[in-house]
Every structure is written in C-alpha cells, then in structure tokens.
Amino acid sequence: MQYSNPQPAEGINTSGAHPLKEFAILAGGLLLMAVLLILLLGWFADRLVQYIPFEAETQLAASFADIAGSEQEPVQPYLQQLAERAGKATGLPGNIHLHIHFVREPTVNAMATLGGHIIVYEGLLRHLSSEDAIVMLLAHEVAHIHHRHPIRAMGRGFTLAMAISLINTGTGISLAGDMVGQAGLMTVLHFSRQQEQEADREALQALAVNYGHIAGAVELFDVLAREDDPLLHHEWLSSHPLTGNRIQQLRQYAETAGWPVQGMLTSIPLPVQQALQ
Amino acid sequence: MLDLLVFLTLLLLGYGFGHYNEQRHYRSIMQREHAMQELIMVSSRELPPLPGTDNQLVCGSVVVSVDYFKRTLAALRNLFGGRMSAYETLLERARREARLRMAEQAQGMGARMICNIKLETSSLYKGRQQSIGSVEVLAYGTALIPRR
C-alpha cells in the first residue's frame, strides 16, 4: 500500500465572508427589527393611554403624594394658584387635579409626573425674576399632564422593558437585548422631544392668554440656556430639544399666532420673593 | 451611553486582536504543516505490516477561545440561523493545531507514520446563558517508530 500526505486546499472548512460585513448585516437587521418593534409597541401604548382614566393614574401616583417639602407657605399656594390659572387658559379638563410640590433643594429643575403631580425645585425658582417666567414653567408642566405625557412615557418604558426581556429570554442572549435597549432608548428620547415641543407650545398659549405677550418664555429659556449641561449638547442624546432651538421655535410659533415677544413682566409678590431668598 | 461605549470598545479590541492572532496562527499552521509533510498521517485502523517497528500512543490537545467580537457575531447568528462562520475558523485552527502537536510529539520519538488518528472536541466553557467560549480539541493516534 502507498501512503502519502498531500496538503489539502485552504478555505474548505471556513467561510470566506468578511466577519465585519457579516456583523454589519446581522446587527443592522436586528436593530432595524428592534426599532420597528419598539415603534409599533410604543404606538399601541400611546393609543391605549386614552382608555386609562385619570383616576387610575391618581391611584398609581398615590406614593408620590407625600413628597417631602410639600405645602410650604407662601410659595406652594402661590405656585398652585399660577398652575391652575395656566390650566384654565389651556382648557385642562375638570377631572384632572393639579398638585404642586415645592422642594427646597438647589436643583435647577421642575418636572411633571403621574397623577397630576408637579415638582418644582427651589434652585430653579431662585433664578426666575418674574411671575411670567414661573407661569411659563408651570404651564409647560401642566401641558405635560394635560396631554398625559407621564403615563405615556411609562407605557412606552414598559413596552421597551417587555421587548428587551422578550428578546433576552427568547434568544438566550443578553447582548442582543442590550443592543435593543440602546436602540430603544434613542426612540424613547425622541418621543420625549416631541412631547417637550407640544408642552412648550401649550405653555406659550397659557402665557399669551394670561399676560398678552410671551416675554416670560424668553426669560425662562435664558435661565435654562445658562444651566444647560454641556455634555448633553447633542440633541439626539438628550430628552429635551436644545434650548437654542427651543427659543427659535417658540419665537416662530409666537409670530404666527400674533403674540408679541416683548412686554411688561409682572413681578413676583413680595412674600414669595422673601421666602425664596 | 457608557455601556454602549464599553461594548463598542470591547468589540473593536476583540476584532483587532482576534483578527491579528488568527492570521498569525494560520501562517504558523501552514508553515508547520508544510514542514511536517514527511510524516505520514492516516486515519485507517489497520497498521501497515512493517517489521521492526514499535507502536506507541501519541496525542496533542489544544484549548482555544474566541474573541469578544466573534462571540457577539455568533450571538447574532444564533438569532437568524445560518453558517456559524465565527466559530468555523476557531474549530479549524484548533483541529489543525492539535494534529500538529500530536505530529510534533511523534516526530520527537523518531516516528515515520501515525495511524488510526482520531479527533475529539469538547466545549469547555458554556458561560452565562450557554454561550460557548472556549473549546478543546484532542488529536491522538498510534505512532509507528522504527526500531534502532
């Protein structure tokens, strides 16, 4: 018997495809599918919100009711009154009750959450020198509540979490879920930006109805522009539109609606001013 | 955001080092296989009736792991199905390297031929959620060593 040892040809047992190309196709396909899935689920979640009565939201938010720093004279009643006035100006339905919480912390922020709760930090109020600016701020948060943005965001958050856990358990790969999570976060932020624009416009309306001009909005955004986080200066990375873009959009909106941008600012009542110092 | 950066960095490092190591390993395998051509290696169980030879067991084993990039690629491939090219090169390299190590052992003993070669593969590490990371390939056979 003759034995020989010929060298077999290369590339029989391995594929010649470039791994980077394969990766791009697979990862792109997965991300595309995930984004479509999340958009679809988010859309459904958004549709379903109108069937959740506001009363149910109030129950969900029962735990927020005892937020520290509530009911502080004279700031809290003043804010409550301004918020209710803003709500009236923009047609807030009667069954939605607003609860303003004033928190003595240096944070420059304010937020709206489930059940009509609005949290305003002292840090932001200290920067505002006119009632107009405070009304703009409150009306913006009231508009979020009017359009049920907090519960919409929660619904989308839930669908996103569900999609991630579905993909994780379905495929047994946490990595795929992580990638979907990243893609999902981008779309959630995008929804949030649309909501911010909606709230800005409605707040502007409240301002114009109450004062006849929108000078308060300019003051508020000047303050926000100074406090902007330089790290978040890419619009697609942040939940809010960049302040510069926001001001420009508001000016355009005010122009089309015929509201003057300049006007006499109303001052904050003296007891409130003293309480904030 | 930070998670994404870490992930991309690992992916990039994995691809860079993995690709470099793989190319280098393939070059070394081809070169050594070429040098080893004198040694006859067959998988037949029948030993040729050569008088004056000793028979001895020789074996070579390799434990090798994929890089982060290929593991990610394989995870993606798991979703869609199809040719698992990320692991094909890993296993081929392991098989050829194991066979080479066995051959080097036989050559050190002065063998002229290895018969009845067998290859065995086992996954060593199944890791989190059964993602296979490393593999062992064992090659063994009967070396025919001419008596002096």
Side-chain angles (χ1 to χ4, degrees):
Chain A
M1 205 188 286
Q2 276 286 333
Y3 291 105
S4 68
N5 239 359
Q7 194 77 350
E10 294 290 330
I12 292 170
N13 296 321
T14 55
S15 95
H18 198 283
L20 281 182
K21 189 181 157 200
E22 192 186 346
F23 184 84
I25 291 171
L26 293 180
L30 177 70
L31 284 182
L32 187 73
M33 271 163 46
V35 167
L36 287 180
L37 178 78
I38 286 160
L39 284 178
L40 193 72
L41 285 176
W43 186 79
F44 277 123
D46 223 52
R47 296 290 108 171
L48 288 175
V49 160
Q50 53 178 310
Y51 299 109
I52 303 174
F54 187 78
E55 287 68 32
E57 205 183 309
T58 314
Q59 282 177 1
L60 267 176
S63 57
F64 296 115
D66 43 58
I67 288 169
S70 297
E71 316 298 330
Q72 285 188 26
E73 295 276 354
V75 184
Q76 195 279 335
Y78 171 66
L79 295 177
Q80 181 80 38
Q81 173 218 330
L82 290 184
E84 274 163 18
R85 211 171 354 127
K88 217 170 275 173
T90 52
L92 188 73
N95 67 329
I96 297 185
H97 301 289
L98 300 169
H99 307 275
I100 312 294
H101 303 270
F102 170 62
V103 182
R104 281 205 183 272
E105 273 174 33
T107 316
V108 184
N109 202 1
M111 54 194 153
T113 181
L114 298 175
H117 292 277
I118 295 174
I119 299 152
V120 183
Y121 287 98
E122 192 185 7
L124 181 51
L125 282 187
R126 271 167 178 254
H127 282 91
L128 304 179
S129 61
S130 68
E131 193 175 283
D132 301 56
I134 299 181
V135 167
M136 178 68 193
L137 170 76
L138 289 171
H140 175 95
E141 304 304 336
V142 169
H144 277 317
I145 286 166
H146 184 184
H147 294 286
R148 315 281 306 270
H149 288 164
I151 197 156
R152 277 165 199 242
M154 195 179 81
R156 263 196 297 271
F158 279 154
T159 49
L160 180 62
M162 204 171 70
I164 291 174
S165 77
L166 265 177
I167 291 176
N168 276 348
T169 50
T171 60
I173 313 161
S174 66
L175 201 86
D178 287 350
M179 286 172 69
V180 174
Q182 297 288 355
L185 184 67
M186 296 285 166
T187 55
V188 167
L189 290 178
H190 175 66
F191 277 120
S192 168
R193 280 203 297 276
Q194 282 183 346
Q195 292 177 343
E196 294 303 328
Q197 278 168 10
E198 199 178 3
D200 275 353
R201 288 183 176 188
E202 199 164 302
L204 217 56
Q205 191 192 333
L207 208 59
V209 168
N210 274 311
Y211 301 101
H213 59 80
I214 59 145
V218 178
E219 194 204 328
L220 176 67
F221 286 118
D222 278 348
V223 169
L224 291 180
R226 262 179 276 142
E227 291 296 325
D228 250 357
D229 186 346
L231 267 179
L232 291 177
H233 260 273
H234 291 285
E235 190 168 312
W236 56 277
L237 272 183
S238 104
S239 65
H240 287 55
L242 290 183
T243 313
N245 298 353
R246 251 168 126 176
I247 296 175
Q248 212 177 358
Q249 273 170 1
L250 288 190
R251 276 181 192 276
Q252 279 172 0
Y253 189 63
E255 229 168 76
T256 42
W259 299 322
V261 177
Q262 304 288 331
M264 269 285 282
L265 291 171
T266 310
S267 61
I268 300 168
L270 208 60
V272 177
Q273 271 186 41
Q274 281 163 349
L276 284 174
Q277 266 157 21
Chain B
M1 212 54 222
L2 192 71
D3 283 356
L4 191 67
L5 277 179
V6 169
F7 173 67
L8 288 178
T9 311
L10 283 174
L11 213 58
L12 215 65
L13 282 176
Y15 178 73
F17 284 108
H19 191 70
Y20 173 73
N21 277 333
E22 187 174 286
Q23 297 297 316
R24 206 176 57 162
H25 192 200
Y26 263 123
R27 272 198 303 275
S28 140
I29 286 174
M30 283 177 213
Q31 191 195 340
R32 278 146 67 215
E33 274 178 354
H34 189 74
M36 207 65 83
Q37 247 178 332
E38 296 286 287
L39 186 71
I40 302 289
M41 287 189 263
V42 291
S43 59
S44 62
R45 291 173 70 182
E46 304 276 313
L47 301 185
L50 293 175
T53 51
D54 286 332
N55 302 334
Q56 203 173 330
L57 176 76
V58 281
C59 62
S61 97
V62 166
V63 178
V64 67
S65 173
V66 270
D67 54 74
Y68 190 84
F69 173 79
K70 290 212 159 171
R71 205 166 306 172
T72 311
L73 187 56
L76 285 172
R77 188 46 92 186
N78 257 345
L79 285 178
F80 296 98
R83 198 167 167 176
M84 196 67 118
S85 60
Y87 284 153
E88 279 179 347
T89 48
L90 171 84
L91 277 158
E92 196 196 31
R93 278 161 58 200
R95 277 194 304 268
R96 288 168 77 170
E97 180 67 37
R99 215 172 64 108
L100 275 169
R101 288 185 185 176
M102 174 189 70
E104 275 156 16
Q105 192 194 344
Q107 217 175 29
M109 294 167 167
R112 286 293 174 71
M113 184 175 188
I114 307 174
C115 292
N116 199 8
I117 292 175
K118 289 184 176 122
L119 288 164
E120 281 179 17
T121 310
S122 53
S123 63
L124 270 192
Y125 171 63
K126 292 204 165 62
R128 194 165 60 129
Q129 295 176 342
Q130 299 291 306
S131 60
I132 299 165
S134 4
V135 73
E136 191 218 13
V137 173
L138 171 71
Y140 59 98
T142 309
L144 273 63
I145 306 159
R147 225 173 271 150
R148 299 213 177 158

